[in-house]
Amino acid sequence: MTASRDIACRVRGFGAYTPVDVLTNFDLEKFVETTDEWITTRTGIKQRHRLAEGQNASDAATEAARLALADAGMEPGEITHVINATCTPDYLCPNTACLVEAKLGIMGAMAFDFNAACSGYVYGLSMARAIVAAQPDARVLLTATEALTRRLNWADRTTCVLFGDGAGASVITADGEGALLEDVLCASDGNLGGLLTIGGGTHTPYAKGDPVGEDFFVQMNGRDVFKHAVRNMAAISQDVLARNGLTTDDVALLIPHQANLRIIEAVGDRLGVPAERVFVNLHEFGNTSAASVPLAIADARAKGVLRPGMRVLLATFGGGFTWGAALLHF
Ligand code: ACO
């Protein structure tokens, strides 16, 4: 249990961005051996958004950040830290947070990326809380952005139908108005990392001119990921509730990682949260990895599903494996 739990931590602004280009299941039918019926019944996904040529994860993050800053009533120059979650950065170096910082016209803030795959935003809340605990005047911009469609093997129907691009952002401070971060809990199991991989790192020593192999793209053992996702998202949600003396009866809305409707339903069942208290928008966006939870928060607010006074439980799971849960009181 960390000391930073005792420090007030406010999530003051939320923003989300998805690219204009939409790829429906029917669009996919034209070049992937699949059907709208298969994708809909197995995953719940109907469409996903795709970054335009020349548009990158940093651009999506910058758009989301602008909206989050406006929502918080803050200027970019007030930000002291930019922390960015992604597993599909623009480059291995420079980091995407520095690119976002430059695009926002911020100078001198501490800026770095971290990779917790789909758990990135919840991991980011944990880091932001630690930063404001150590430095109470910190103004942390947390972005979570993905360009997953750039790392899909369109010849692999078991993965390419699942993912989309997008970004979400929040501003976190120790003071001010905003959702209270009541608690956040993160976990991992590196022994299972091989079940969900995206290449492009230095593990494969490519020489100039070499064609990329299948390892360059998203590769996943879907069935195993499914089982671990359900088990761990439910367990860590129960843990974060229990250590705060709460049950799911105290939660107005569950916002889970938007990977697969069947995973979401199974997590809701295990936690005993009825479907009307579980937010789902994956039919519109597919799995946007780190961006999925902040995108869902912004969407739930915009749709009036998430309202002031509500306690929200966030639950997530991703490659690594990583997983986490957080309690936000709006
Ligand atoms: N279109 C048509 N048929 C397909 C497709 C497709 N897109 N993909 C697979 N199939 C076929 C398979 O080839 C297989 O055919 P076969 O029986 O002739 O061999 C059949 O459908 C069943 O395949 P399964 O893999 O068993 O299908 P399953 O019901 O397990 O669903 C899925 C696959 C959707 C990937 C599921 O396992 C899943 O959602 N897993 C979790 C994935 C996930 O959420 N990952 C992300 C979490 S972590 C993160 O976000 C990074």
Side-chain angles (χ1 to χ4, degrees):
M1 203 156 299
T2 53
S4 60
R5 276 187 71 205
D6 302 329
I7 307 286
C9 181
R10 298 269 171 188
V11 188
R12 285 172 56 173
F14 296 89
Y17 173 82
T18 46
V20 177
D21 185 22
V22 169
L23 210 52
T24 66
N25 293 349
F26 295 107
D27 293 329
L28 289 184
E29 281 184 1
K30 292 175 194 146
F31 62 99
V32 180
E33 196 192 338
T34 192
T35 59
D36 169 64
E37 199 268 333
W38 192 96
I39 301 170
T40 305
T41 53
R42 299 292 178 121
T43 73
I45 298 165
K46 298 296 286 184
Q47 62 175 43
R48 69 287 294 143
H49 292 240
R50 182 170 53 174
L51 288 164
E53 216 178 305
Q55 191 184 28
N56 293 300
S58 64
D59 298 305
T62 304
E63 293 304 321
R66 286 203 174 101
L67 294 169
L69 284 161
D71 190 37
M74 289 172 64
E75 295 296 327
E78 294 177 66
I79 294 299
T80 58
H81 299 69
V82 182
I83 64 173
N84 178 62
T86 188
C87 60
T88 49
D90 293 18
Y91 306 98
L92 290 182
C93 183
N95 71 49
T96 314
C98 280
L99 300 175
V100 172
E101 187 193 45
K103 285 172 186 176
L104 288 172
I106 300 172
M107 278 287 287
M110 181 172 173
F112 63 93
D113 282 7
F114 58 97
N115 178 354
C118 308
S119 306
Y121 181 77
V122 173
Y123 266 56
L125 289 179
S126 182
M127 272 192 283
R129 181 180 64 172
I131 291 169
V132 300
Q135 188 182 328
D137 62 349
R139 302 261 179 279
V140 182
L141 174 63
L142 165 62
T143 54
T145 187
E146 300 289 9
L148 259 312
T149 65
R150 298 265 162 85
R151 277 294 182 280
L152 295 178
N153 175 357
W154 296 101
D156 176 7
R157 67 179 182 174
T158 67
T159 54
C160 74
V161 303
L162 303 174
F163 298 94
D165 301 331
S170 294
V171 180
I172 294 114
T173 63
D175 55 6
E177 297 291 310
L180 178 68
L181 179 60
E182 292 181 317
D183 202 3
V184 52
L185 200 51
C186 297
S188 69
D189 184 351
N191 294 305
L192 301 171
L195 295 173
L196 173 47
T197 58
I198 308 174
T202 54
H203 173 267
T204 305
Y206 284 111
K208 193 163 179 241
D210 283 354
V212 295
E214 298 205 344
D215 65 297
F216 191 68
F217 302 99
V218 173
Q219 291 189 304
M220 178 172 66
N221 180 326
R223 283 195 179 173
D224 281 345
V225 172
F226 193 111
K227 274 188 298 199
H228 287 282
V230 172
R231 191 181 307 144
N232 290 313
M233 283 165 80
I236 202 160
S237 296
Q238 274 154 346
D239 288 348
V240 81
L241 287 167
R243 81 174 191 175
N244 287 278
L246 301 169
T247 71
T248 47
D249 291 344
D250 301 302
V251 171
L253 194 64
L254 168 64
I255 300 188
H257 171 45
Q258 306 286 311
N260 183 314
L261 185 58
R262 291 186 295 145
I263 294 177
I264 292 174
E265 286 171 349
V267 170
D269 281 351
R270 280 193 182 208
L271 292 174
V273 180
E276 59 273 17
R277 288 201 276 130
V278 182
F279 187 74
V280 176
N281 69 357
L282 87 175
H283 50 286
E284 292 177 64
F285 304 112
N287 180 351
T288 57
S289 188
S292 123
V293 168
L295 239 172
I297 294 173
D299 197 25
R301 281 176 93 214
K303 288 174 175 157
V305 178
L306 170 46
R307 297 178 296 279
M310 284 182 158
R311 176 180 285 118
V312 175
L313 171 63
L314 310 178
T316 192
F317 183 85
F321 287 155
T322 58
W323 60 96
L327 288 166
L328 274 177
H329 206 153
F330 282 79

